[in-house]
């Protein structure tokens, strides 16, 4: 189905996991994106983001808002990322996949990799990537990819801000040909045994503006949803 400019795959959790397993087993690799309301809205005017979302092998709902929106349109979507990432970690353990975790938040990738090793017995490595530019490309990213390739990952979990995450995943999938690259967003934190506390807290001004931005984004999403119903 499609909400606005963004396609979304329908199906069950078992079908999602079977697709990812097939991508890894065949060595073809691929990308899994998890668009949320913010990405749906941004894709209306952001061509590179729209292209990154449209060309992924799997596009799964990144939040419960999209699952509810799909019901309004008469369709059914798999559960959002926070609910299937733990099942994906279980599949990775059963298949002995090498897992790489990349995040632009210092500490998050390392903590998540540690949780994957402790809770799931996975061979997991965490890599902090705070210097990735907004377009997900550049000499620094190329050097980072060279280092990531040395780990020969089967599964790469990426948590970054939008649209950096989606564009970085494009670059990663092109460089790590046989790996499945998953843009997880905040859902990555569901793999931790306790809530993640970022080192840098929002300023007072950012906290004041947050409800305004939320309202504007929600109204924009409702307009996109209304257009999709037509």
């Amino acid at each position: 189905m499609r909400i606005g400019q963004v396609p979304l795959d329908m199906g069950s959790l078992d079908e999602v996991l079977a697709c990812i397993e097939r991508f890894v087993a065949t060595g073809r690799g691929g990308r899994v994106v998890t668009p949320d309301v913010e990405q749906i809205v941004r894709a209306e005017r952001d061509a590179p983001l729209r292209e990154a979302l449209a060309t992924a092998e799997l596009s799964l709902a990144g939040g419960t808002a999209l699952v509810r929106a799909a019901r309004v349109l008469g369709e059914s979507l798999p559960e959002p990322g926070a609910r299937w990432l733990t099942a994906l970690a279980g599949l990775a353990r059963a298949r002995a996949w090498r897992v790489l975790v990349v995040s632009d938040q210092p500490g998050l990738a390392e903590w998540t990799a540690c949780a994957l090793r402790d809770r799931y017995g996975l061979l997991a490595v965490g890599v902090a990537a705070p210097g990735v530019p907004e377009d997900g490309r550049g000499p620094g990213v190329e050097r980072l990819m060279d280092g990531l390739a040395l780990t020969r990952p089967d599964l790469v979990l990426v948590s970054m801000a939008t649209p950096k995450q989606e564009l970085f995943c494009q670059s990663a999938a092109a460089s790590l040909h046989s790996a499945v690259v998953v843009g997880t967003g905040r859902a990555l934190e569901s793999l931790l045994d306790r809530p993640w506390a970022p080192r840098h807290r929002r300023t007072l001004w950012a906290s004041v503006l947050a409800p305004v931005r939320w309202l504007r984004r929600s109204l924009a999403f409702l307009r996109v949803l209304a257009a999709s119903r037509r």
Side-chain angles (χ1 to χ4, degrees), residues 69-210:
R71 294 195 189 113
V72 171
L73 299 175
E75 304 289 355
S76 176
L77 293 175
E79 293 296 334
R83 310 218 179 146
W84 61 263
L85 269 182
T86 52
L88 179 59
L91 175 62
R93 175 181 57 190
R95 300 294 181 263
W97 290 346
R98 294 179 295 273
V99 180
L100 193 61
V101 186
V102 184
S103 176
D104 59 355
Q105 293 189 54
L108 178 58
E110 296 90 329
W111 274 105
T112 305
C114 183
L116 290 174
R117 292 192 297 267
D118 293 344
R119 297 175 63 187
Y120 296 93
L122 285 168
L123 179 59
V125 176
V127 177
V132 173
E134 284 298 301
D135 62 1
R137 294 174 172 81
V141 174
E142 292 176 4
R143 289 191 295 272
L144 174 62
M145 293 301 175
D146 290 340
L148 299 183
L150 294 176
T151 68
R152 297 174 57 228
D154 299 301
L155 182 67
V156 183
L157 306 178
V158 180
S159 176
M160 295 182 179
T162 296
K164 183 195 307 183
Q165 173 178 277
E166 291 68 38
L167 301 178
F168 177 84
C169 286
Q170 267 190 316
S171 299
S175 298
L176 310 172
H177 306 288
S178 61
V180 174
V181 182
V182 184
T184 67
R186 292 291 301 273
L188 182 69
E189 299 172 26
S190 66
L191 297 172
L192 300 174
D193 57 3
R194 61 181 183 274
W196 171 252
R199 294 179 185 175
H200 302 291
R201 299 186 180 277
R202 290 189 302 186
T203 64
L204 177 60
W205 182 242
S207 299
V208 170
L209 289 179

